[in-house]
């Protein structure tokens, strides 16, 4: 398993940041490498909501189904996806920042886990996803 984590201070209220991040169709606006995201479930975002994400990775476009596995407004969202023997789980924690009244601390953590034949490729896939070991949000 490979894990990456990154934090940032955003100049907006935590509640507003969470609403933006939790809208799965906004993924291309803040997640590097995602070129499109389309909701595939109806209703408000909740645990079990799904989307189809298209990611560009090493010059190839990869479609990945995405599922919300944890939804705790206004502070935590976890999504999971599995493609080509690699399972990715991303957790976003949003909370008010000590930097100012209308600022938020956002922490993004991702775990990548290979299975079977792909398990030995985890370090390579991890580096291909994020050459410097960080997610560029």
């Amino acid at each position: 398993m490979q894990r990456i984590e990154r934090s940032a201070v955003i100049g907006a209220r935590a509640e507003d940041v969470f609403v933006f991040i939790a809208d799965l169709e906004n993924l291309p606006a803040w997640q590097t490498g995602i070129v499109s995201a389309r909701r595939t479930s109806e209703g408000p975002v909740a645990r079990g909501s799904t989307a189809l994400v298209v990611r560009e990775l090493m010059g190839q476009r990869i479609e990945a189904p995405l599922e919300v596995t944890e939804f705790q407004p206004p502070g935590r969202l976890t999504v999971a996806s599995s493609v080509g023997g690699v399972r990715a789980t991303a957790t976003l924690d949003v909370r008010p920042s000590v930097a100012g009244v209308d600022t938020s601390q956002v922490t993004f953590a991702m775990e990548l886990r290979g299975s079977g034949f792909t398990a030995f490729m985890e370090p390579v896939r991890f580096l291909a996803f994020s050459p410097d070991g960080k997610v560029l949000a």
Side-chain angles (χ1 to χ4, degrees), residues 94-113:
V94 182
R95 58 186 163 80
S97 171
V98 295
V101 176
D102 290 332
T103 62
S104 306
Q105 177 77 35
V106 178
T107 301
F108 178 94
M110 179 175 275
E111 293 181 357
L112 299 173
R113 183 182 307 265

Side-chain angles (χ1 to χ4, degrees), residues 6 16 25 40-42 52 70 99 114 119 123 135:
R6 181 137 189 228
D16 297 334
E25 292 187 350
T40 55
S41 59
E42 295 184 15
L52 184 63
E70 184 178 9
V135 171

Side-chain angles (χ1 to χ4, degrees), residues 1-123:
M1 176 186 70
Q2 299 290 323
R3 179 182 170 87
I4 54 175
E5 186 171 314
R6 181 137 189 228
S7 292
V9 174
I10 308 293
R13 295 175 345 123
E15 295 82 4
D16 297 334
V17 172
F18 185 83
V19 167
F20 182 81
I21 288 172
D23 182 344
L24 300 176
E25 292 187 350
N26 286 334
L27 278 168
W30 63 268
Q31 179 62 58
T32 300
I34 294 181
V35 295
S36 69
R38 177 180 52 84
R39 285 277 311 269
T40 55
S41 59
E42 295 184 15
V45 173
R47 188 172 190 271
S49 293
T50 58
L52 184 63
V53 173
V54 177
R55 176 178 291 282
E56 194 163 287
L57 181 64
M58 298 177 66
Q60 295 184 10
R61 287 187 176 231
I62 301 167
E63 286 190 352
L66 189 80
E67 180 180 359
V68 175
T69 58
E70 184 178 9
F71 186 74
Q72 297 178 2
R76 178 171 263 218
L77 172 72
T78 301
V79 295
S81 182
S82 186
V83 174
V86 176
R87 179 158 177 86
T89 304
T91 299
L92 291 119
D93 287 305
V94 182
R95 58 186 163 80
S97 171
V98 295
V101 176
D102 290 332
T103 62
S104 306
Q105 177 77 35
V106 178
T107 301
F108 178 94
M110 179 175 275
E111 293 181 357
L112 299 173
R113 183 182 307 265
S115 63
F117 180 71
T118 62
F120 82 94
M121 290 291 292
E122 274 185 10

Side-chain angles (χ1 to χ4, degrees), residues 121-133:
M121 290 291 292
E122 274 185 10
V124 175
R125 288 180 182 267
F126 179 76
L127 290 173
F129 176 76
S130 180
D132 61 359

